[in-house]
Amino acid sequence: MTGGTGGIGAAVMKALRDEGAHPVSVSNTEPTERVPGAEYINGDITDRGAVLGAVSEIKESMGKVDILVNAAGIEEYAPVHLTDEAMFRRVMDVNVTGGAFLMIREVLPLMEQGVIINVASVQSFSATRNAAAYVTSKHALLGLTRSVALDYGPRIRCLAVCPPGTVDTPPLVRKAAVLEVGNSEDRVAEKISEWGGRAHLTGRIGRPEEVGKVIAFLCSDAASFMTGSAVMVDGGASSPTYP
Ligand SMILES: NC(=O)c1ccc[n+]([C@@H]2O[C@H](COP(=O)([O-])OP(=O)(O)OC[C@H]3O[C@@H](n4cnc5c(N)ncnc54)[C@H](O)[C@@H]3O)[C@@H](O)[C@H]2O)c1
């Protein structure tokens, strides 16, 4: 998987390990907490050589891959007129080109049968303000998910998993809160909790493990009739309710 050292990805590593898998993360950061029995390869997924190197390391040690979860992602905040090409390319490069397309292409030959999960977002379906590059990248992941499900089904299932804007992982959500209220821990916590109450039918933001466990389920045989679709794991944030 990609991004197994970060919030949601780390939770996926743990959930897959709990189901008996041998997870391997390809990430450009060190894990804050190592999942026992998991492996960590350091690499930048925007670097083609690093992706090829990581996949060949996995091929050598394991021979085949049953599950690929593309969880690595970055968010940069700006509306279109303040987004320069470098920013746009960086976001597309991590979230789509390197993190999903290239990983999938290189892992496919090692996957006789299996499941591919792309971690997308509720922003695959709706835009939020000042996040043009990110929103574009997450919409693109849906197209890639459907193409893979179509071209490699039924032997390979491919699904997008869509968390809301607010799963409590430090860089993404906290960065957004700090941008709004500054560095005070209390105000950041208050802002995150306000978003949670306002945006989710659950009345709170999500926890990484609540996404990780759903992904582990989707990778299991219990989800054998699911492919080509987007699974919302969003506390009801995208539910068309009219409170
Ligand atoms: N946290 C949320 O609220 C939320 C909501 C919707 C979607 N998502 C999506 O879930 C995924 C995980 O988000 P998170 O909040 O856990 O993020 P995070 O910042 O906690 O972790 C990101 C992970 O991606 C890896 N990564 C980033 N750039 C990389 C690169 N160039 N090469 C290799 N690895 C790289 C990091 O090393 C880290 O392991 C992302 O795709 C994100 O867009 C998150």
Side-chain angles (χ1 to χ4, degrees):
M1 72 171 293
T2 67
T5 55
I8 290 176
V12 173
M13 295 279 279
K14 189 166 181 311
L16 288 174
R17 194 278 320 266
D18 289 349
E19 293 300 318
H22 175 75
V24 181
S25 163
V26 182
S27 307
N28 65 349
T29 52
E30 284 296 310
T32 39
E33 198 187 316
R34 281 179 178 265
V35 174
E39 264 180 66
Y40 297 88
I41 298 175
N42 195 273
D44 183 334
I45 51 175
T46 64
D47 171 0
R48 188 169 175 274
V51 172
L52 299 194
V55 174
S56 91
E57 206 176 303
I58 290 165
K59 182 179 178 188
E60 216 156 276
S61 67
M62 304 201 297
K64 68 173 181 127
V65 171
D66 301 314
I67 293 167
L68 169 63
V69 179
N70 292 314
I74 56 168
E75 179 158 7
E76 300 207 15
Y77 299 91
V80 166
H81 75 283
L82 297 176
T83 302
D84 61 25
E85 290 99 310
M87 184 202 280
F88 192 83
R89 289 210 168 93
R90 197 162 48 244
V91 172
M92 292 299 284
D93 232 22
V94 177
N95 294 2
V96 184
T97 314
F101 157 71
L102 201 51
M103 276 308 287
I104 292 171
R105 194 189 69 189
E106 295 306 316
V107 164
L108 275 172
L110 305 184
M111 194 179 257
E112 211 171 291
Q113 285 202 317
V115 186
I116 296 173
I117 306 285
N118 294 318
V119 179
S121 170
V122 294
Q123 289 169 73
S124 299
F125 293 93
S126 56
T128 47
R129 282 187 199 283
N130 303 326
Y134 185 78
V135 168
T136 305
S137 73
K138 292 298 176 180
H139 275 63
L141 280 178
L142 289 187
L144 184 62
T145 299
R146 291 172 182 139
S147 295
V148 171
L150 178 64
D151 290 338
Y152 302 100
R155 141 181 110 74
I156 289 170
R157 296 188 290 114
C158 184
L159 292 150
V161 166
C162 302
T166 42
V167 172
D168 194 8
T169 62
L172 284 181
V173 175
R174 285 175 193 275
K175 201 163 120 192
V178 167
L179 273 179
E180 284 212 12
V181 298
N183 275 315
S184 147
E185 242 334 288
D186 284 353
R187 295 199 64 204
V188 166
E190 204 176 285
K191 182 48 79 186
I192 292 175
S193 138
E194 179 198 318
W195 281 336
R198 211 173 49 204
H200 302 85
L201 303 185
T202 51
R204 61 167 177 82
I205 64 170
R207 295 188 284 270
E209 60 270 23
E210 291 175 307
V211 182
K213 285 178 182 164
V214 173
I215 290 179
F217 162 76
L218 295 173
C219 292
S220 76
D221 284 345
S224 52
F225 202 52
M226 296 181 74
T227 190
S229 57
V231 177
M232 311 310 289
V233 189
D234 66 351
S238 63
S239 169
T241 47
Y242 187 55

